[in-house]
Amino acid sequence: MDIKPLVQSAVDAYGRAYAPYSRFQVGAAVETDDGRIFAGGNVENAAYPEGTCAEAGAIAAMVMAGGRHIRRVVVCGGGDAACTPCGGCRQKIREFGAPQTPVTMVSPSGTVRLVRTLAELLPDSFGPDNLR
């Protein structure tokens, strides 16, 4: 499966993120089992805890379109290091993804910086199957 459209969606979302306070833009894109792609950018707020992460925005868009399973994720962030999802977003991804779900971190130019499975990012995770 070609990851280029998913990477491009995350890069485009990075470019549209709203980060006037930290100036640290993040874009994310998730792909569902049927190949649909949903993107989101971080949205900061003057009341700092009220901002939202890029991954949360992408997941919310997916859910509103009826998506319920994440096949793969791409996160785009600036800086010199790979921009990995925060702890809260790792758990949000886990709600709709499996431990083996690949999460790819890219630069604003789309260069792959790091690839990890969700299990590597969130070992021994608590997910929907724990409540069955």
Side-chain angles (χ1 to χ4, degrees), residues 101-105 114-121:
T101 301
V103 181
T104 303
M105 281 64 68
L114 185 66
V115 179
R116 294 286 185 262
T117 65
L118 185 55
E120 290 172 311
L121 292 172

Side-chain angles (χ1 to χ4, degrees), residues 69-71 93-103 117-119 125:
H69 187 265
I70 295 173
R71 180 189 309 176
I93 295 166
R94 177 64 180 92
E95 184 68 20
F96 300 99
Q100 68 271 19
T101 301
V103 181
T117 65
L118 185 55
S125 67

Side-chain angles (χ1 to χ4, degrees), residues 24-70:
F24 191 81
Q25 294 170 256
V26 179
V30 299
E31 181 182 72
T32 59
D33 280 342
D34 60 3
R36 293 182 295 160
I37 295 173
F38 300 92
N42 61 320
V43 179
E44 293 181 347
N45 189 289
Y48 292 135
E50 298 306 316
T52 57
C53 294
E55 299 89 339
I59 291 168
M62 176 195 77
V63 169
M64 291 299 96
R68 293 294 185 270
H69 187 265
I70 295 173

Side-chain angles (χ1 to χ4, degrees), residues 67-118:
R68 293 294 185 270
H69 187 265
I70 295 173
R71 180 189 309 176
R72 52 190 179 167
V73 179
V74 172
V75 179
C76 177
D80 295 331
C83 181
T84 60
C86 73
C89 285
R90 293 174 192 205
Q91 187 63 47
K92 288 173 179 71
I93 295 166
R94 177 64 180 92
E95 184 68 20
F96 300 99
Q100 68 271 19
T101 301
V103 181
T104 303
M105 281 64 68
V106 302
S107 71
S109 67
T111 302
V112 173
R113 291 186 166 162
L114 185 66
V115 179
R116 294 286 185 262
T117 65
L118 185 55

